[in-house]
Amino acid sequence: MQQRPRKKLEPGVRRRKKFGDKRQFILQKALSVFSQYGFHGSSIEQITTAADISKTNLFYYFKSKEVLYLTILENILNDWLVPIDSFSVEDDPRSALGKYIRRKLELSRDQPEASKLFCLEIIQGAPILKGYLNDELKPLIDEKSRVIQQWIEQGKLKPVEPIHLIFMIWSTTQHYADFSVQIKALTGKDLKNKAFFEETCQTIQQVILDSLVSP
Amino acid sequence: MQQRPRKKLEPGVRRRKKFGDKRQFILQKALSVFSQYGFHGSSIEQITTAADISKTNLFYYFKSKEVLYLTILENILNDWLVPIDSFSVEDDPRSALGKYIRRKLELSRDQPEASKLFCLEIIQGAPILKGYLNDELKPLIDEKSRVIQQWIEQGKLKPVEPIHLIFMIWSTTQHYADFSVQIKALTGKDLKNKAFFEETCQTIQQVILDSLVSP
DNA sequence: GTCTATATGGCGATAGAC
DNA sequence: GTCTATCGCCATATAGAC
């Protein structure tokens, strides 16, 4: 949004900014509820309590529960595709895969709720995301599988089924977000703990990379 | 379950068996609903439709939705602890871990709904399972971590944080159950496909074991 | 054991005052 | 923009006939 500095905002602009801020605030609180209980399992009242507003007020900002939910999902998907986009044939596999693992683990640390919501959606059969999986994710993954295949053909990577390698990276990194409660129960720690984060990242990188790349 | 016209009052034993059979049948149908939508997200009606019985009839077999759900969860946990119990210090790490990975992947293939229900419970904060995690799972995992640590001290395994190794095995194998919809969308296959199962198992074993055990 | 009918409560959503 | 009041629906669970 382009806007030169000024002492006073136009009344309309200021109102619109405030409107947008509050919308964002509600979205954030709603995500934390939906990511725990899913769409059907969450009630409007849980969300309004979390956001400290009235039910009527929420319906002023979002015309229905479904619109609220879809808005959140849309926002999440924007971030979701980014990190894997970052490697290509010219890259060194160890470095590229290592960075990708770290980037995914950072997402698990910084946006654990988005990860959980995504997980809930998939478990429920991806009623909303099915189109996204087929139309956007699949082409991207096919392309990245080809990159991995080329690394193998160039002798830079030991033979491995590319798609399973991708699944392994996804599952191991997302696990620390989706199963954080179990991990907290068994280790007493989570990814917010810097040492634990580094230890986790290093272990996943070590196990996955040492078996596939000659050191 | 189709009911046929009854001829005569069955003897007590057989009636009790029939009672148990129908309970089991309902539990199985209820699991398939709960494992998709979670406790709050599932309705009694969805379950009675799946089991082809009336709502009243369901309440004859289970006195409340909660009892039904708890019964299912209890049944699942019985199986859940078994496979990791199977390795100890005397074992060869490659063989023991390899078998454990295969066993876990078989569980993902044969009981995907149990895996999903467990996943949903954990995401929701494990309100019911918290006690189980602390009282039963943690002691068991601490013990198995010590086994892995001893393998490392004996030089049979390269240095690795035992708990992360366990998390990696859990996450990679359970992923094929919990995210089956995504996997189906991206590969067109699932673990019921024998070739796909073997390919998956082999890849996970290869990646995890080759980096940790000298061949 | 299974049915019809119904009690009871919570939820998503709207109307209308301010 | 926010509030109070309320509508209509659907969900869990029960009562009582057969």
Side-chain angles (χ1 to χ4, degrees):
Chain A
M1 183 167 57
Q2 185 194 21
Q3 172 186 324
R4 61 199 161 72
R6 56 175 109 194
K7 290 177 183 172
K8 279 186 183 176
L9 293 172
E10 295 283 342
V13 172
R14 197 190 298 164
R15 204 185 309 123
R16 245 178 282 123
K17 180 178 186 311
K18 217 185 145 199
F19 181 84
D21 283 354
K22 184 152 180 183
R23 255 181 78 96
Q24 276 310 118
F25 179 76
I26 294 172
L27 284 170
Q28 178 200 318
K29 294 299 185 180
L31 168 58
S32 83
V33 174
F34 281 135
S35 68
Q36 254 196 64
Y37 305 104
F39 179 75
H40 293 288
S42 303
S43 75
I44 292 287
E45 197 149 8
Q46 279 177 286
I47 295 166
T48 56
T49 300
D52 196 32
I53 56 173
S54 69
K55 272 196 279 185
T56 342
N57 198 216
L58 185 144
F59 283 113
Y60 171 75
Y61 286 93
F62 299 90
K63 85 165 202 287
S64 71
K65 186 184 179 182
E66 206 178 1
V67 165
L68 174 59
Y69 184 78
L70 289 176
T71 308
I72 291 171
L73 217 50
E74 223 169 83
N75 289 349
I76 289 174
L77 288 189
N78 290 340
D79 304 331
W80 212 256
L81 279 172
V82 176
I84 201 172
D85 213 27
S86 67
F87 67 73
S88 59
V89 205
E90 301 81 37
D91 294 323
D92 168 60
R94 175 173 279 271
S95 160
L97 293 174
K99 269 184 200 150
Y100 181 51
I101 289 169
R102 172 170 284 269
R103 188 76 196 82
K104 284 288 292 177
L105 203 62
E106 285 169 352
L107 272 179
S108 283
R109 178 194 60 196
D110 300 335
Q111 308 204 40
E113 292 173 336
S115 181
K116 288 178 187 178
L117 192 67
F118 188 79
C119 181
L120 288 178
E121 266 298 305
I122 299 292
I123 286 185
Q124 293 188 13
I128 298 169
L129 291 181
K130 213 149 219 167
Y132 157 81
L133 293 180
N134 291 319
D135 304 340
E136 301 193 53
L137 190 57
K138 184 159 195 326
L140 185 63
I141 294 313
D142 284 346
E143 185 198 324
K144 293 307 168 182
S145 293
R146 251 175 277 122
V147 170
I148 294 172
Q149 193 58 48
Q150 284 173 296
W151 281 337
I152 294 171
E153 284 159 12
Q154 291 170 5
K156 293 182 182 170
L157 207 65
K158 294 194 185 146
V160 67
E161 209 53 56
I163 191 68
H164 291 298
L165 174 56
I166 293 172
F167 288 155
M168 284 192 77
I169 295 176
W170 285 353
S171 58
T172 49
T173 53
Q174 290 171 197
H175 186 77
Y176 286 83
D178 303 339
F179 286 75
S180 60
V181 169
Q182 176 172 262
I183 288 165
K184 188 96 186 182
L186 296 182
T187 68
K189 296 171 198 154
D190 60 35
L191 294 182
K192 305 283 182 193
N193 178 318
K194 208 168 178 341
F196 187 76
F197 177 91
E198 289 303 331
E199 172 186 310
T200 304
C201 186
Q202 203 271 326
T203 303
I204 296 176
Q205 287 175 337
Q206 170 198 345
V207 171
I208 292 184
L209 296 178
D210 283 3
S211 61
L212 296 176
V213 189
S214 320
Chain B
M1 179 180 268
Q2 279 304 8
Q3 74 246 17
R4 33 182 212 295
R6 221 178 308 139
K7 300 174 192 166
K8 222 181 176 184
L9 203 64
E10 307 276 359
V13 173
R14 202 187 298 169
R15 203 190 308 128
R16 244 178 283 120
K17 179 176 185 312
K18 216 186 146 199
F19 181 85
D21 283 354
K22 185 155 181 182
R23 256 181 78 97
Q24 275 311 117
F25 180 77
I26 294 171
L27 283 170
Q28 177 201 318
K29 293 298 185 181
L31 169 58
S32 84
V33 174
F34 280 135
S35 69
Q36 255 196 64
Y37 305 104
F39 178 75
H40 293 289
S42 304
S43 75
I44 292 288
E45 195 149 9
Q46 279 177 288
I47 295 166
T48 56
T49 299
D52 195 33
I53 55 172
S54 69
K55 274 191 276 184
T56 340
N57 199 216
L58 185 144
F59 283 113
Y60 171 74
Y61 286 93
F62 299 91
K63 87 164 202 288
S64 73
K65 185 184 179 182
E66 207 179 359
V67 164
L68 174 60
Y69 184 78
L70 289 176
T71 306
I72 292 171
L73 216 52
E74 222 169 85
N75 288 351
I76 289 175
L77 288 189
N78 290 340
D79 304 329
W80 213 255
L81 279 172
V82 176
I84 200 174
D85 212 28
S86 67
F87 65 74
S88 59
V89 206
E90 301 81 38
D91 294 324
D92 168 60
R94 176 172 278 271
S95 160
L97 292 174
K99 268 182 201 150
Y100 181 51
I101 289 170
R102 171 171 285 269
R103 189 76 196 82
K104 285 288 292 176
L105 204 61
E106 286 170 352
L107 271 179
S108 283
R109 179 193 62 196
D110 301 333
Q111 308 204 39
E113 293 173 335
S115 182
K116 287 178 188 178
L117 192 67
F118 188 79
C119 181
L120 288 178
E121 265 299 303
I122 299 292
I123 286 185
Q124 292 188 12
I128 299 168
L129 292 181
K130 214 150 219 169
Y132 157 80
L133 293 180
N134 291 318
D135 303 340
E136 301 192 54
L137 190 58
K138 185 161 195 324
L140 185 63
I141 294 312
D142 284 348
E143 183 197 324
K144 294 306 168 183
S145 293
R146 251 174 277 122
V147 170
I148 294 172
Q149 193 58 49
Q150 285 173 296
W151 281 337
I152 294 170
E153 284 159 13
Q154 292 170 3
K156 292 180 181 171
L157 207 64
K158 292 193 187 148
V160 67
E161 209 53 57
I163 190 69
H164 291 298
L165 173 56
I166 292 171
F167 288 155
M168 285 191 76
I169 294 176
W170 285 352
S171 59
T172 50
T173 53
Q174 289 170 198
H175 186 78
Y176 287 84
D178 304 338
F179 286 75
S180 60
V181 169
Q182 176 171 262
I183 287 166
K184 187 97 187 182
L186 295 182
T187 68
K189 296 170 198 155
D190 59 35
L191 293 183
K192 306 282 183 195
N193 178 318
K194 207 166 178 345
F196 187 75
F197 177 91
E198 289 303 332
E199 172 186 312
T200 304
C201 186
Q202 204 270 325
T203 303
I204 297 176
Q205 286 175 338
Q206 170 198 345
V207 171
I208 292 183
L209 296 179
D210 283 2
S211 62
L212 296 177
V213 190
S214 320

